[in-house]
């Protein structure tokens, strides 16, 4: 008998596709990105929910780290569009949130 394959997000994703995070970062909301994809989780395999541009104001909530790597992602709300999602920190002009999400 064949065993069905389980479809899942990449194992290294700290925030699985669809995971949100609380707003733990009270710093100012004047953040910018330069055409960065906002995703449903901290992986390029997760759906794109919107795009953050350098003219948008971003409200950072917190960041997470991918496994044992130096790669981090920030969960944020794009105040210009109203979209929430994860953005890889190297795509944010200031490096993203300084507050850890806890996962």
């Amino acid at each position: 008998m064949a065993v069905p394959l389980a479809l899942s997000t990449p194992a290294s994703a700290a925030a699985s596709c669809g995971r949100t995070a609380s707003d733990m970062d009270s710093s100012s909301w004047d953040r910018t990105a330069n055409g960065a994809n906002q995703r449903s989780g901290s992986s390029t395999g997760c759906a794109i929910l919107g795009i953050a541009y350098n003219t948008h104001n971003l409200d950072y909530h917190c960041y997470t780290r991918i496994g044992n790597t130096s790669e981090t992602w920030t969960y944020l709300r794009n105040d210009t569009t109203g979209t929430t999602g994860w953005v890889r920190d190297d795509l944010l002009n200031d490096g993203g949130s300084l507050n850890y999400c806890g996962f």
Side-chain angles (χ1 to χ4, degrees), residues 17-65:
C17 299
R19 184 160 190 180
T20 62
S22 299
D23 192 351
M24 300 178 196
D25 192 333
S26 62
S27 59
S28 75
W29 294 7
D30 195 18
R31 310 291 189 200
T32 59
N34 195 13
N37 289 327
Q38 288 180 255
R39 296 185 178 272
S40 67
S42 61
S43 167
T44 57
C46 294
I48 297 170
L49 304 174
I51 300 176
Y53 292 102
N54 61 4
T55 57
H56 293 175
N57 290 324
L58 307 177
D59 178 14
Y60 294 171
H61 289 198
C62 58
Y63 79 91
T64 192
R65 182 174 309 282

Side-chain angles (χ1 to χ4, degrees), residues 3 6-7 14 73 94 98:
V3 177
L7 299 176
W73 291 65
D94 59 4
L98 298 177

